[in-house]
């Protein structure tokens, strides 16, 4: 079975990566799909986020990294994926994620949303937290892969 894992990944964190690694043991193919959202101004350009993901998932042959725009269910149908994967960190994620899952279910009954619990050590990690820490020169080595840490230093004009 094929699954898509959609998100902004702005930037990729160890929370995302852990979920991708575990999902790649559950599905024949996991398509990590970066949303091209015309309403959001990302911190990292699309190509850079794709590169971060490709570098970090290079050891996982079942994982494909791509981008999409428009409705997630349409992209899932186009890719013949039965499953949309989303991660849950805390109760605070739940309400929004459930609404999203119900919305997607109302649009297509051919695609199901599956939630994966965050790894316990990554429950505090989000792309925005990582950017806040990096912006003020904090150490993000335990939060993101090294290549992303380099991109963050470059974004905030810091030297290693
Ligand atoms: P979006 O803008 O679609 O929420 P994100 O890149 O922030 O994109 O998140 C993509 C998915 O990854 C979401 O389902 C989110 O809940 C999940 N996620 C983010 N951080 C973590 C984490 N630390 N552990 C598990 N799942 C996470």
């Amino acid at each position: 079975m094929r699954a898509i894992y959609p998100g902004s990944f702005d930037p990729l964190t160890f929370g995302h990566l852990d979920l991708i690694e575990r999902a790649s043991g559950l599905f024949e193919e996991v398509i990590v799909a970066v949303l091209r959202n015309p309403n959001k101004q990302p911190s990292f350009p699309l190509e850079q986020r794709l590169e971060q993901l490709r570098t970090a998932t290079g050891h996982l042959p079942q994982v494909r990294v791509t981008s999409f725009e428009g409705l997630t269910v349409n992209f899932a149908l186009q890719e013949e994926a039965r499953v949309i994967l989303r991660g849950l960190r805390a109760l605070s994620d739940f309400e929004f994620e459930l609404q999203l899952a119900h919305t997607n279910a109302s649009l297509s009954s051919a695609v199901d949303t599956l939630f994966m619990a965050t790894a316990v050590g990554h429950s505090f990690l989000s792309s925005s937290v990582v950017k806040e820490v990096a912006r003020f020169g904090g150490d993000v080595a335990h939060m993101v892969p090294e290549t992303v840490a380099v991109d963050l230093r470059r974004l905030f004009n810091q030297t290693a």
Side-chain angles (χ1 to χ4, degrees):
M1 196 185 282
R2 185 178 289 148
I4 66 164
Y5 178 36
S8 313
F9 306 102
D10 188 33
L12 171 71
T13 73
F14 279 144
H16 297 128
L17 192 55
D18 167 73
L19 197 145
I20 295 167
E21 280 172 346
R22 284 186 290 137
S24 73
L26 297 173
F27 296 93
E28 282 158 44
E29 187 178 28
V30 177
I31 302 172
V32 182
V34 184
L35 175 65
R36 294 197 295 269
N37 185 347
N39 300 321
K40 257 193 190 174
Q41 189 55 48
S43 304
F44 294 96
L46 176 69
E47 278 311 319
Q48 199 172 7
R49 284 177 283 153
L50 291 170
E51 194 53 41
Q52 292 171 351
L53 278 160
R54 289 193 177 120
T55 304
T57 61
H59 62 299
L60 301 169
Q62 308 93 311
V63 173
R64 176 151 59 93
V65 177
T66 189
S67 65
F68 75 107
E69 60 190 342
L71 292 174
T72 307
V73 281
N74 287 349
F75 178 70
L77 291 170
Q78 178 197 311
E79 294 291 332
E80 295 177 359
R82 280 277 295 121
V83 168
I84 296 173
L85 278 177
R86 296 287 289 176
L88 288 179
R89 281 160 293 192
L91 201 57
S92 50
D93 282 340
F94 183 75
E95 210 170 329
F96 173 72
E97 291 292 342
L98 190 66
Q99 186 183 25
L100 203 59
H102 285 157
T103 306
N104 287 334
S106 79
L107 294 172
S108 172
S109 55
V111 185
D112 257 307
T113 299
L114 284 189
F115 296 117
M116 289 184 69
T118 180
V120 81
H122 296 141
S123 59
F124 66 98
L125 270 182
S126 69
S127 298
S128 37
V129 157
V130 164
K131 282 183 280 194
E132 264 328 273
V133 173
R135 182 189 307 276
F136 298 108
D139 182 16
V140 291
H142 57 303
M143 300 180 183
V144 296
E146 175 56 23
T147 50
V148 177
V150 170
D151 288 346
L152 281 161
R153 282 197 288 273
R154 207 165 287 149
L155 178 70
F156 297 116
N157 266 326
Q158 289 151 357
T159 47

